[in-house]
Amino acid sequence: MATLSVPAAVPAVAEDCEQLRKAFAGWGTNERLIVSILAHRDAAQRRAIRRAYAEAYGEELLRAIGDEIHGKFERAVIQWTLDPAERDAELANEEAKKWQPGGRALVEIACARTPAQLFAAKQAYHDRFKRSLEEDVAAHVTGDFRKLLVPLVSAYRYDGPEVNTSLAHSEAKLLNGKINEKAYSDDEVVRILTTRSKAQLLATFNSYNDQFSHPITKDLKEDPKNEFLSTLRAIIRCFTCPDRYFEKVVRLALGGVGTDEDTLTRVITTRAEVDLKVIKEAYQKRNSVPLEKAVSKETSRDYEDMMLALLGAEY
Amino acid sequence: MATLSVPAAVPAVAEDCEQLRKAFAGWGTNERLIVSILAHRDAAQRRAIRRAYAEAYGEELLRAIGDEIHGKFERAVIQWTLDPAERDAELANEEAKKWQPGGRALVEIACARTPAQLFAAKQAYHDRFKRSLEEDVAAHVTGDFRKLLVPLVSAYRYDGPEVNTSLAHSEAKLLNGKINEKAYSDDEVVRILTTRSKAQLLATFNSYNDQFSHPITKDLKEDPKNEFLSTLRAIIRCFTCPDRYFEKVVRLALGGVGTDEDTLTRVITTRAEVDLKVIKEAYQKRNSVPLEKAVSKETSRDYEDMMLALLGAEY
C-alpha cells in the first residue's frame, strides 16, 4: 500500500553517495539527481546512505543537503531522508514547541503509528533533544489540550487483537453520556481514548454505532469551529479510518487560499512507505481527480518533483 | 551493592534442573534444596533454568513450585524466580487491581527503576495480561491518585545527565508556591513529578532546598495521615534516596503488629540484585541492629531461609 518505488536494481550505497556528492558539487545543485536517488530508496537504504556518506566525506548528508537546497524543497528532502522515528521526533518537537490548537502531528504520531513505532519516536526524541516528548508536550501545551495530549503521547498501548466486548459496550455508553453532557474533556473520555488498545477502541466505536445508531464522530461535530472537538475526531479517525483521515488532511492542505506545504510534506513523507496508495485511492474517490494531479497543480519546481516522486507518479 | 551471592562454580543448568526436580519428587518437598539453588542464581541464570526445566520435563518450573510449596514461602520463591520485568508486571497488576491509597509497588516501579526497566515491565505487562499497565491503572485507581499515578507509570522519562538549572530554579519555586497553597494535586505539581528526568528532578529538589532552606519532603509532611502527601514523598524519596526510602519501607513492614510479609518480600526480591547491601547499611545505621537479625526475628522456617539467603546472610 506504499507508493515508494525502489528500482529493481538498486545501485551500491557507495555509488549513491558519489552521485549525491556530484549533485552538490560546483556551482548550482543538481536537484533532479537528489530526487532521483533519495526519493527512490527505502528507510533502510537511506540510513545506509547517510552512514556511508558521513564516513566517506566526513560530513553529515543532511547538513550537506541543507547547504545546497532551501525552503520547502529542503524541508521535504530532509524530512523524507530521516529515519521514520527521527522524523516523528522532529515533527513532534516542532509542534510541541509552538503548539497551536489545530496541530495534528502529535495526534498522528500517537494514533496513526503502532505502539512500538511511537516508542521508537520517543527514544529518538531523547537522543536528539535530551528531553522526553512527554515533558515537552506537558510544558508547552495548556488547558484541555494538555489534559488530552500528554496521556495521548505517553501511553504505551497494548497492541494485540484481544477485545473485551462487554467493556466496549459499557465504555461506549459512558462516552455517549459524557458527550450528551458536552463534557468533552471529562477524565473518563480522556482515559478511554488515551489508554485503550486500538482493537478495543474499534470495538467501542462499533458498539457506540450499534447502541446509538450513528457514529461517535457525528456526535462530536456540534460546533465545527471547536478545535478540541475536531482534535477528538482526528484521534478517532486516525484509529478507525486512517486513509480517509489523511485524505481529508491533504485535501484541506491543497484546498485553502495558498497551499499548506508543511502539512502536505508531513503527510506524504510519513505515509509514502506505509499506506499512501490507499490515501490516493480515497482522494480520487472523494475528489474525482488523482492526487498527483492536484499536487502538481498546487506545487512547482523541485518541490513538486519531490512530492510527485514520493507519490509514485510515473515519469 | 547487590546482596545476591552466586557460587564461584555454578553447576550446569541441567544439573540445577535435576536437583530441583528431585526437591519436588516423592512425599514432602526439599525446601532447603530449592532455596540453596534458586536464591543463589542471578536473573540470567534463573531464566536459563526455567527454560531448560520446561524443555526437560514439559512443565513450567513456576507451576511445579506452586504445586509443592505454599503461602508466603511460595510467593517469595516465585517472585524471586521471575525475570525482573515480569516480576514488576505482576506486582503492578496486583496493586492496580486492588488499589489502596497506601500502595507503593506502582510508585517504586515507576520511580526506582530506570526508564528502560519501566518500559520492559510495561512490555511484560502486555505479554502477561493482554492489556496495558496504564489502562489498568487508569481503570482501577480513582481521584487524585489516578491523576498522579497514570502519568507516573506512563511517562518514558529522559534518562541522561543533562540538567537545566534555570528550569530547576523556576520549577522549585513553582512547587513551593503550590505546596504553600496546599494545592498538592495541582496539574503543575503532577506535571513536574511525572515527566521530568531524574537528573532534572534532583536539581529541582536541590534548588528547593537552597531557596527555601529545607527539603521539599519536609513541606509535604503537613498531615502524617494524608496518604496522598505520603505518596508524593515516596515518589521524591525513590528518586533522591532510594536506600533510605526502602529502609523505611522494610522497617515499617517488620515493625507493625504482625509482619507485612508481602511488602518485605517485594523489597527483598526487587532489590537483592540491585542495592540491598546499601539498604542493609541504612537499616543498621537507623536501627542499630542488622537487617538479617530483624528479619530472622519476625519470620520463620522456609520463608525465613529464603529471605536470609537473598539478604546474603552467611550460612
Side-chain angles (χ1 to χ4, degrees):
Chain A
M1 299 180 304
T3 51
L4 170 66
S5 72
V6 175
V10 181
V13 173
E15 202 187 316
D16 275 348
C17 290
E18 237 172 83
Q19 290 294 314
L20 285 166
R21 191 73 176 174
K22 266 189 206 156
F24 305 151
W27 280 73
T29 305
N30 189 340
E31 287 87 357
R32 283 199 160 246
L33 189 51
I34 296 175
V35 172
S36 75
I37 297 170
L38 290 175
H40 297 284
R41 300 292 180 273
D42 67 26
Q45 292 163 340
R46 300 193 305 275
R47 197 179 312 136
I49 292 172
R50 277 171 70 192
R51 198 177 308 129
Y53 190 96
E55 273 171 25
Y57 306 111
E59 188 188 8
E60 292 296 326
L61 174 63
L62 297 185
R63 180 175 294 265
I65 290 173
D67 288 345
E68 294 292 326
I69 65 178
H70 305 285
K72 55 202 174 195
F73 177 50
E74 175 192 3
R75 190 176 159 84
V77 172
I78 287 184
Q79 226 173 77
W80 167 250
T81 306
L82 285 169
D83 247 7
E86 294 176 300
R87 183 198 299 136
D88 280 349
E90 282 288 344
L91 289 168
N93 178 257
E94 232 179 69
E95 183 164 291
K97 277 191 313 189
K98 42 173 194 181
W99 167 252
Q100 300 259 19
R104 286 290 177 269
L106 291 168
V107 167
E108 292 167 11
I109 291 162
C111 306
R113 312 285 188 265
T114 66
Q117 288 169 337
L118 171 59
F119 182 70
K122 295 208 252 183
Q123 290 183 299
Y125 201 101
H126 285 199
D127 290 343
R128 284 178 101 75
F129 303 110
K130 308 296 171 199
R131 289 187 309 277
S132 71
L133 170 58
E134 28 276 81
E135 79 183 301
D136 280 358
V137 173
H140 293 292
V141 181
T142 52
D144 281 349
F145 284 99
R146 171 159 108 183
K147 192 176 164 185
L148 177 66
L149 292 178
V150 173
L152 199 73
V153 301
S154 297
Y156 177 58
R157 294 179 202 260
Y158 178 59
D159 200 20
E162 294 84 353
V163 159
N164 179 334
T165 48
S166 74
L167 185 70
H169 186 89
S170 67
E171 292 195 336
K173 209 167 211 165
L174 203 162
L175 287 171
N176 183 256
K178 296 297 177 186
I179 291 172
N180 286 342
E181 295 165 23
K182 300 186 196 256
Y184 304 119
S185 64
D186 183 271
D187 286 357
E188 292 293 291
V189 175
V190 170
R191 173 182 69 77
I192 293 167
L193 292 181
T194 62
T195 67
R196 294 303 185 195
S197 73
K198 179 173 169 171
Q200 183 66 35
L201 283 175
L202 296 190
T204 301
F205 302 144
N206 283 331
S207 173
Y208 193 104
N209 217 334
D210 292 342
Q211 290 183 69
F212 309 107
S213 308
H214 53 262
I216 181 170
T217 43
K218 206 184 156 195
D219 281 343
L220 291 169
K221 259 190 188 147
E222 191 216 19
D223 170 7
K225 285 202 183 122
N226 180 328
E227 285 288 2
F228 189 78
L229 282 185
S230 73
T231 304
L232 291 180
R233 291 198 306 273
I235 290 169
I236 294 167
R237 288 166 57 87
C238 277
F239 285 118
T240 57
C241 52
D243 54 338
R244 285 186 291 135
Y245 164 81
F246 284 112
E247 181 281 321
K248 188 174 176 186
V249 173
V250 167
R251 173 162 32 100
L252 297 178
L254 292 170
V257 184
T259 304
D260 178 353
E261 284 101 357
D262 280 1
T263 298
L264 183 65
T265 300
R266 184 183 80 237
V267 173
I268 289 186
T269 57
T270 60
R271 309 312 291 186
E273 267 180 290
V274 184
D275 58 357
L276 192 48
K277 202 171 262 180
V278 196
I279 297 167
K280 273 165 63 175
E281 285 163 15
Y283 189 92
Q284 165 89 48
K285 206 168 150 191
R286 172 70 174 73
N287 303 280
S288 310
V289 64
L291 179 54
E292 290 96 322
K293 209 169 167 184
V295 168
S296 178
K297 193 166 155 251
E298 299 294 327
T299 59
S300 62
R301 298 169 46 99
D302 307 320
Y303 177 67
E304 177 186 359
D305 291 347
M306 182 71 188
M307 291 294 100
L308 293 181
L310 292 179
L311 277 161
E314 306 286 333
Y315 280 91
Chain B
M1 300 181 307
T3 51
L4 171 65
S5 72
V6 174
V10 181
V13 172
E15 203 187 317
D16 275 348
C17 291
E18 237 171 85
Q19 290 295 313
L20 285 167
R21 192 73 176 173
K22 266 188 209 157
F24 306 151
W27 279 71
T29 306
N30 189 340
E31 288 86 358
R32 283 199 161 246
L33 188 53
I34 297 176
V35 173
S36 75
I37 296 170
L38 291 175
H40 297 284
R41 300 293 180 273
D42 67 26
Q45 291 164 341
R46 299 193 305 273
R47 197 179 312 135
I49 291 172
R50 277 172 69 191
R51 198 176 309 126
Y53 190 96
E55 275 171 24
Y57 305 110
E59 186 189 11
E60 292 296 328
L61 175 62
L62 297 185
R63 180 174 294 264
I65 290 174
D67 286 344
E68 294 293 325
I69 64 177
H70 305 285
K72 54 202 172 191
F73 177 50
E74 174 192 2
R75 192 176 158 86
V77 172
I78 287 183
Q79 224 174 77
W80 166 251
T81 306
L82 286 168
D83 248 7
E86 293 176 300
R87 183 197 300 137
D88 280 349
E90 282 288 345
L91 289 169
N93 178 256
E94 233 180 66
E95 184 165 289
K97 276 191 312 187
K98 42 173 193 181
W99 168 251
Q100 300 260 18
R104 287 289 176 270
L106 291 168
V107 167
E108 291 167 13
I109 291 163
C111 306
R113 310 286 187 266
T114 66
Q117 287 169 337
L118 171 59
F119 182 69
K122 294 208 253 182
Q123 291 183 299
Y125 201 101
H126 286 199
D127 289 343
R128 284 177 101 73
F129 304 110
K130 309 294 171 199
R131 290 188 308 276
S132 71
L133 171 57
E134 27 276 82
E135 80 183 300
D136 279 357
V137 173
H140 294 291
V141 181
T142 52
D144 281 350
F145 283 99
R146 170 159 109 182
K147 192 176 165 187
L148 178 66
L149 291 179
V150 174
L152 198 74
V153 301
S154 297
Y156 177 58
R157 294 178 201 259
Y158 179 59
D159 199 20
E162 294 85 351
V163 159
N164 180 334
T165 47
S166 73
L167 185 71
H169 186 89
S170 67
E171 292 195 336
K173 209 168 211 159
L174 204 162
L175 287 172
N176 183 257
K178 296 297 178 187
I179 291 173
N180 286 342
E181 295 166 24
K182 301 187 193 253
Y184 304 119
S185 65
D186 182 273
D187 286 356
E188 292 293 291
V189 175
V190 170
R191 173 182 68 76
I192 293 168
L193 292 181
T194 62
T195 68
R196 294 304 186 192
S197 73
K198 177 173 172 172
Q200 183 67 35
L201 283 175
L202 295 189
T204 300
F205 301 145
N206 284 332
S207 172
Y208 194 104
N209 215 335
D210 293 343
Q211 290 182 68
F212 309 108
S213 308
H214 53 262
I216 181 170
T217 42
K218 206 183 155 196
D219 281 345
L220 292 169
K221 260 190 187 146
E222 192 216 16
D223 171 8
K225 288 207 183 118
N226 181 328
E227 285 288 2
F228 189 78
L229 283 185
S230 73
T231 303
L232 291 179
R233 292 198 305 273
I235 291 169
I236 294 169
R237 288 166 56 88
C238 277
F239 284 119
T240 57
C241 52
D243 53 338
R244 285 187 291 132
Y245 164 80
F246 284 112
E247 181 281 321
K248 188 172 174 187
V249 173
V250 168
R251 172 161 32 97
L252 297 178
L254 292 171
V257 184
T259 304
D260 178 352
E261 284 102 358
D262 281 1
T263 299
L264 182 66
T265 300
R266 185 183 79 237
V267 174
I268 290 188
T269 57
T270 60
R271 309 313 289 185
E273 268 179 290
V274 184
D275 58 358
L276 192 48
K277 204 171 260 179
V278 196
I279 296 167
K280 272 165 65 175
E281 285 163 15
Y283 190 92
Q284 164 88 49
K285 208 169 149 190
R286 172 69 175 72
N287 304 281
S288 310
V289 63
L291 180 54
E292 289 96 322
K293 211 169 165 183
V295 167
S296 180
K297 193 165 156 254
E298 299 294 327
T299 60
S300 62
R301 297 168 46 98
D302 308 320
Y303 176 65
E304 176 185 359
D305 290 347
M306 183 71 189
M307 291 294 101
L308 292 181
L310 293 178
L311 277 161
E314 306 286 333
Y315 280 91

